[in-house]
Amino acid sequence: MDKKIDGKKLLSEAKEARKNGYAPFSSFTVGAALLTKDGKIYRGCNIESSVMSPSLCAERVALAKAISEGEKEFTAIAIAGAPSGEDPKDPCYPCGVCRQVLSEHADLNTFQIITEENGKPVSCTLSDLLPKAFIFQT
Ligand code: THU
């Protein structure tokens, strides 16, 4: 993990964000904390909808908040997810849709995905999770 990235701090921000998760349908709440190159942190939580398809993952909520505030460069995201009312014990990696969306706003080889396993931060790069990513060319 990049020395400048404090994985524990970012994970604690993700856990704070998770407290606001709105998941009446899955009862699985997720929090994310997205780190900008300048050290700012944007939090997001999952927000479900009764008609399902508008449901939002925590990662994309954090990303939308950051991008809509003019942020352009990101170095890491921490994610914490578990059944509502329980503390996370298993790692929570981003879903396929979030991997794709993150790949359009981050450097595949350096952007860190941080989650927690057995109480300890674990990390990998976005290219580990999304090899041979689709690259849009005109
Ligand atoms: N979820 C996230 O917020 N992020 C992910 O990467 C995986 C899944 C949410 C979506 C849904 O509200 C709940 O977790 C169960 O799938």
Side-chain angles (χ1 to χ4, degrees):
M1 198 184 302
D2 189 317
K3 282 206 175 63
K4 286 177 297 200
I5 298 171
D6 184 342
K8 280 195 172 161
K9 155 100 176 128
L10 211 54
L11 273 167
S12 82
E13 294 276 345
K15 288 179 189 171
E16 272 305 303
R18 187 178 162 244
K19 292 178 183 169
N20 297 325
Y22 179 73
F25 305 102
S26 71
S27 295
F28 189 92
T29 43
V30 183
L34 179 67
L35 183 66
T36 71
K37 199 178 170 194
D38 299 336
K40 261 185 99 174
I41 294 172
Y42 288 83
R43 293 177 180 175
C45 64
N46 58 334
I47 307 171
E48 297 182 349
S49 160
S50 61
V51 285
M52 304 303 172
S53 65
S55 293
L56 297 165
C57 289
E59 297 91 323
R60 279 177 290 134
V61 170
L63 190 63
K65 285 172 67 180
I67 291 189
S68 60
E69 292 300 319
E71 302 291 352
K72 291 192 171 22
E73 292 187 272
F74 306 101
T75 55
I77 193 166
I79 306 152
S84 308
E86 291 179 24
D87 286 334
K89 46 179 198 300
D90 298 320
C92 184
Y93 289 101
C95 76
V97 170
C98 289
R99 291 177 197 200
Q100 176 61 36
V101 175
L102 286 166
S103 79
E104 295 171 28
H105 298 278
D107 183 303
L108 279 170
N109 294 316
T110 59
F111 184 79
Q112 299 286 310
I113 313 284
I114 303 164
T115 184
E116 197 172 68
E117 195 164 2
N118 301 320
K120 288 201 176 128
V122 287
S123 73
C124 62
T125 65
L126 193 49
S127 66
D128 291 330
L129 299 184
L130 191 68
K132 302 187 195 315
F134 171 71
I135 296 166
F136 183 67
Q137 285 167 328
T138 50

